Amino acid sequence: QGPWDAFIVVDLSTNGLSADMLKGVTTIYHLASKAHAVTETAAEANSYKPVIVDGSQRVVEAAVAANVERLVYVSSVKALGEGNPPGVPLEPITESSPGAPQSPYGVAKAEAEKIVLESGIPHVVVLRPTMVFGPGEKGNLPRMVQAVRMGRFPPLPELGNRRSMIHVNDVVEFTYRAAAISTAAGKAYIVAHQEALSTRELYDAIRESLGLSKQSWSIPMFLLTATAGTGTVLGGLLGRRMPLDMETLRKLTGSAWYSSVRAEEELGYVARRSVRDWLTSEGR
């Protein structure tokens, strides 16, 4: 029999998972989720709970009934908030930093974490990856690469912001270690690569990987702010998000800088692949 014979497809937003399906399973790696969007409609904002919260509850209930010994839940740093708060000194966020989820996606992730950590399963661990990149990734980074390639992404000014990322292979390694190391039980870990680029540094790195010349100029921040403000007003009038509004500008120019020191020390692993490596080798 081939390896695909062991795959069972279920819908976690319904009662599709049962303890019988987990018979003989000792470890669950729970990655099932609904990806968040940069621009969200009201309907999208309400779509996370059935999959992330209710789905996690069903996983836990089936796991407990099947006497599963270990469960690693891959959550998100969004469960801690939306990044570095404005008006405070810029430093990496840690597991002990004050913060609270602000987006519907982050709120759902935080609720799911609580369900997992209070499940009673002997060995549970929560991992909170920063933005993940690598093969098959379809999120914001590939869209930024495509926009830069087509000349549709403006050269932002250097604002000194920092945004943490992590390669999918490194997430996998942290996940395996979280299940195998007994002292990790009951804990939550941020996982990130140590290098955190500013948006302008990322823009320059993308252009270099595409073989494009380095831009020596940038669009003034006041002009970006005025354009984003107009986008916000138009979006309100038209009932849909514009390509650039104040929320999108905040995410582009703000910081989401996280420290993975605790995971590195307690799980014995340091993320190996930087976003520069990926852009040079395969991210173009």
Side-chain angles (χ1 to χ4, degrees), residues 67-95:
N67 296 314
V68 171
E69 299 172 5
R70 294 179 294 272
L71 190 154
V72 179
Y73 177 49
V74 179
S75 180
S76 167
V77 289
K78 296 288 186 180
L80 296 172
E82 292 301 303
N84 301 79
V88 299
L90 183 59
E91 59 183 20
I93 295 170
T94 69
E95 291 84 354

Side-chain angles (χ1 to χ4, degrees), residues 57 97 174 194 200 247 254:
Q57 182 67 52
S97 298
F174 274 118
Q194 292 180 334
R200 179 58 193 242
E247 177 64 14

